Amino acid sequence: MLQAVVICSEKKYQIIKQSDANEFLTFLLNNLHVALNGTNKTPSSIIYKTFRGRMRVFTRKVLPVDASDEARRTLLETEEFREKVEELPFLKLTMELPPPPLYRDELLQNVIPQVPLGTLLSKFNGSTEKEFKTYNANFIKRFELIRLPEYLIVAYSRFEKNRFFVEKNPTIVNFPISNVDLFDCLAEDARSLHKFTTYDLICNVVHDGQPEGGSSRVQVIHNVWYGKMV
């Protein structure tokens, strides 16, 4: 399997080179789907049937900061600045961690922040807005879920690359191991279509060490929790 991964990824993932587990999971699921003769239709392979959900994305372009009130009202009536809605599939929900503190606490120790999973999931409640920047414009987006998958994969954006190096966000996510309820993340018109909206944690991947290296631990539950270094 390792040799097949090297060939299929055109040597992006190699046996002797550390890679990002989150990126590899996306690569693995998509390539398994294609290998199983999958198409863009949701139930076309066991991969999509098991892991693929669907969300609704609301997008609007940010108004120029130097525009007058009258100009803003005029721009809001144009097609360019109207809010647009589209429905998109997903194989995992990616959430952003809050930035770590820049300074040490009173005891001169580095403070490792913590955040509840529910706070991160609020990104998908349909009302939380987040700004996305591109090279020539900024956009405000909102997300809400319209179909939950049988098995839900969540990922945190823990690594941030800049021009010089990679930084790792050490924020701890307080994740309940059972009854994680996504009912509030479902669009109102989709709630009646879901008999169950809760998930139990059955697998976890943890990165230890520096962002450029380190190692990952896989934790899987089968009656009891098992851990393995990879």
Side-chain angles (χ1 to χ4, degrees), residues 115-166:
V115 60
L117 177 65
T119 301
L120 301 182
L121 285 173
S122 65
K123 171 184 176 180
F124 302 99
N125 62 12
S127 58
T128 299
E129 294 184 334
K130 181 173 177 59
E131 185 172 353
F132 293 82
K133 298 180 179 181
T134 65
Y135 69 95
N136 61 353
N138 296 346
F139 297 88
I140 297 294
K141 292 191 176 187
R142 297 183 291 120
F143 307 88
E144 64 181 5
L145 307 182
I146 54 178
R147 185 170 67 239
L148 297 176
E150 183 178 355
Y151 289 87
L152 177 68
I153 301 174
V154 297
Y156 317 123
S157 300
R158 194 171 290 279
F159 300 100
E160 183 175 349
K161 299 178 181 179
N162 56 40
R163 294 178 59 186
F164 304 103
F165 53 87
V166 179

Side-chain angles (χ1 to χ4, degrees), residues 194-210:
H194 291 75
K195 184 177 181 180
F196 302 104
T197 60
T198 59
Y199 292 89
D200 294 340
L201 182 66
I202 60 174
C203 183
N204 189 37
V205 180
V206 181
H207 180 271
D208 298 314
Q210 298 301 314

Side-chain angles (χ1 to χ4, degrees), residues 59-84 138:
T59 306
R60 75 174 190 275
K61 190 175 181 179
V62 176
L63 293 167
V65 294
D66 56 349
S68 64
D69 291 343
E70 183 178 354
R72 286 171 175 263
R73 287 192 292 269
T74 302
L75 288 173
L76 286 174
E77 296 299 322
T78 64
E79 184 65 25
E80 180 181 4
F81 288 90
R82 284 200 184 103
E83 187 173 65
K84 300 175 177 60
N138 296 346

